[in-house]
Amino acid sequence: MATRVKRAFKYRFCPTDAQAAELSRTFGCVRKVYNLALAARTEAWARQERVTYNQTSAMLTVWKKTEELAFLSEVSSVPLQQALRHLQGAFANFFAKRAKYPRFKSKRKSRASAEYTSSAFTFRGGRLKLAKMAGPLDIVWSRPLPEGSVPTTVTVSRDAAGRWFVSMLCDDPTVKPLAATDAAVGIDVGLDHLLTLSTGEKIANPRHERRDRARLARAQRTCARKEKGSANREKARRKSARIHARITDRRRDGLHKLTTRLVRENQTLVIEDLTVRNMVKNHRLARAISDAAWSEFRSMLEYKAQWYGRDVVVVDRFFPSSKLCSHCGTLQGKMPLHVRTWTCDCQTVHDRDVNAAKNLLAAGLAVTVCGAGVRPQRRTPGGQSATKQKTPRREP
């Protein structure tokens, strides 16, 4: 039986001048309302008072009636209300200790977007028309929506490169759980190779950012030479942003293909719980780690596994997968990062990454049986904790 999941379908579109002006105005109003509500809630927080979504919604009504903020009435009210709901969600995550305190949206750095619910758009015959607009959006339908699906929410955005996107959230009845299989795989991430599987397969790291590094550097130098605030500087900035966008698109496309293949081929996928946020504090490796996009890989793997009835097992980050012999179980002492192959006391020669993937697989299967995390308390002969040295070698 098909599993109905919420799925977003993203398309590019080409707005008219009038539509672009209306959407840009809406983006600005959304940002303004979000910042005003955040300031009000922050002031109340300092007074040890709590402001709810309903109270900020009432504030919005008052703001629209003032002379200074009367322009808020010129755009659709739905994206403004959605901005308040997003702020409420940000505070809920903060109180639940899932995120930091919400931050103010910057005109230059924040994503320009607006969310419309079903009351603020019409979708008929493949034509999408938003509130306050005279005509439908000129969407490039790169793929069809699932048959019979109607968008429940629509998010319009503009990236730093000036490209316009519309994302439609729909119920997708076409996602079906895959046939069960006995295959299981351990996955070790790295920089020399993006992934190393317990089967011995190594997947090359495409290094998307490094391929365009020289071109990006030239574009950024050109932008830096332009006068601030000039039209030429804006054109140079757009050129630099387009290079960044191309890198991001290639990276995301490669990760989608890779994660889909792994989920289709394996019933159980075992990965390691890495703290990428802390690892990128190593400034020699931050660029390479960010380019590898380990967090995005894990996110894709987890939601696709949920879609298709697969299991993702996450092993504790302190499990010493690199230093543990997958043949006899002997725990080695110190193992510098430049050591890529090593020989155990049992005379087994190990490839560091393949051995780590095999140990992750064994630990993950043990987790599925025991239902507990893997975090050994053993100590090395030198008295140090037997933690895995996960920070990779310096990128050449």
Side-chain angles (χ1 to χ4, degrees):
M1 182 178 178
T3 303
R4 300 187 69 87
V5 300
K6 287 286 187 180
R7 188 174 182 181
F9 293 83
K10 192 173 183 178
Y11 305 92
R12 287 191 63 177
F13 72 96
C14 303
T16 63
D17 292 341
Q19 290 174 341
E22 176 65 27
L23 290 173
S24 297
R25 188 161 49 247
T26 302
F27 296 158
C29 292
V30 166
R31 184 177 61 252
K32 182 68 174 179
V33 167
Y34 186 95
N35 289 341
L36 287 172
L38 177 55
R41 297 184 70 148
T42 301
E43 292 173 2
W45 176 261
R47 298 192 303 267
Q48 296 185 347
E49 299 176 2
R50 204 161 182 172
V51 176
T52 64
Y53 160 75
N54 290 333
Q55 290 173 298
T56 56
S57 182
M59 291 179 187
L60 176 59
T61 303
V62 175
W63 293 335
K64 289 182 177 181
K65 295 178 180 179
T66 64
E67 183 179 355
E68 182 183 1
L69 299 175
F71 61 88
L72 295 178
S73 300
E74 298 175 3
V75 302
S76 172
S77 62
V78 173
L80 307 184
Q81 293 289 346
Q82 290 300 101
L84 298 179
R85 289 190 175 92
H86 294 163
L87 180 61
Q88 177 65 28
F91 271 101
N93 290 332
F94 167 70
F95 291 128
K97 298 182 178 181
R98 293 190 296 265
K100 294 182 180 180
Y101 192 83
R103 296 182 295 179
F104 290 95
K105 291 185 179 293
S106 166
K107 180 178 181 180
R108 184 170 62 90
K109 295 182 179 180
S110 298
R111 176 171 175 259
S113 65
E115 184 176 276
Y116 296 79
T117 60
S118 56
S119 62
F121 69 86
T122 56
F123 183 76
R124 295 190 185 92
R127 295 166 67 86
L128 176 67
K129 181 181 175 183
L130 302 178
K132 300 283 185 176
M133 291 191 183
L137 301 181
D138 183 13
I139 299 176
V140 181
W141 295 101
S142 54
R143 55 175 173 168
L145 288 176
E147 187 176 354
S149 295
V150 177
T152 55
T153 61
V154 169
T155 303
V156 181
S157 61
R158 183 187 61 218
D159 68 2
R163 303 181 301 176
W164 295 85
F165 295 93
V166 57
S167 179
M168 305 181 190
L169 186 65
C170 308
D171 285 325
D172 188 359
T174 63
V175 177
K176 301 179 181 180
L178 299 172
T181 177
D182 295 331
V185 66
I187 305 172
D188 182 70
V189 299
L191 294 182
D192 286 341
H193 294 87
L194 182 61
L195 301 180
T196 302
L197 308 183
S198 55
T199 58
E201 179 185 357
K202 293 188 175 182
I203 298 171
N205 186 355
R207 303 181 189 272
H208 297 289
E209 186 272 340
R210 194 165 71 172
R211 286 170 53 188
D212 277 342
R213 186 174 299 174
R215 184 180 303 170
L216 180 61
R218 285 195 301 270
Q220 290 173 334
R221 285 196 299 268
T222 301
C223 182
R225 289 194 294 265
K226 305 299 182 183
E227 182 181 353
K228 289 186 176 180
S230 66
N232 283 337
R233 186 180 179 93
E234 176 60 20
K235 287 193 293 185
R237 186 202 63 79
R238 287 277 182 98
K239 184 176 180 180
S240 175
R242 282 195 295 270
I243 298 174
H244 275 297
R246 184 164 58 245
I247 293 171
T248 302
D249 291 344
R250 285 203 304 257
R251 182 188 297 123
R252 185 178 294 115
D253 180 67
L255 289 178
H256 270 300
K257 293 175 180 176
L258 182 57
T259 51
T260 299
R261 175 204 148 191
L262 291 173
V263 168
R264 289 186 182 278
E265 292 178 353
N266 300 279
Q267 180 68 37
T268 303
L269 305 103
V270 185
I271 58 176
E272 188 177 14
D273 183 22
L274 298 178
T275 52
V276 179
R277 180 180 298 178
N278 292 336
M279 295 171 70
V280 295
K281 294 178 181 179
N282 182 340
H283 297 295
R284 295 180 304 168
L285 295 165
R287 174 180 281 183
I289 293 174
S290 298
D291 190 27
W294 294 335
S295 295
E296 189 171 7
F297 166 77
R298 173 175 172 176
S299 175
M300 289 183 181
L301 201 67
E302 288 178 335
Y303 79 72
K304 290 181 182 180
Q306 184 178 8
W307 282 2
Y308 298 110
R310 302 310 200 196
D311 301 314
V312 174
V313 181
V314 182
V315 176
D316 191 280
R317 66 177 64 97
F318 293 102
F319 178 64
S321 56
S322 295
K323 300 188 292 183
L324 191 66
C325 177
S326 58
H327 181 71
C328 68
T330 301
L331 182 64
Q332 303 298 310
K334 292 183 178 180
M335 187 178 295
L337 294 173
H338 69 269
V339 176
R340 310 315 296 175
T341 59
W342 56 279
T343 304
C344 180
D345 295 337
C346 67
Q347 304 305 313
T348 303
V349 180
H350 292 292
D351 178 288
R352 181 190 183 108
D353 298 330
V354 175
N355 177 68
K358 290 180 179 179
N359 284 325
L360 287 174
L361 175 60
L365 294 178
V367 169
T368 59
V369 174
C370 303
V374 179
R375 183 169 181 172
Q377 301 298 324
R378 300 166 61 186
R379 295 278 172 173
T380 62
Q384 296 181 346
S385 175
T387 59
K388 180 178 180 181
Q389 302 177 28
K390 190 60 206 175
T391 305
R393 294 181 297 172
R394 183 173 181 178
E395 186 187 21

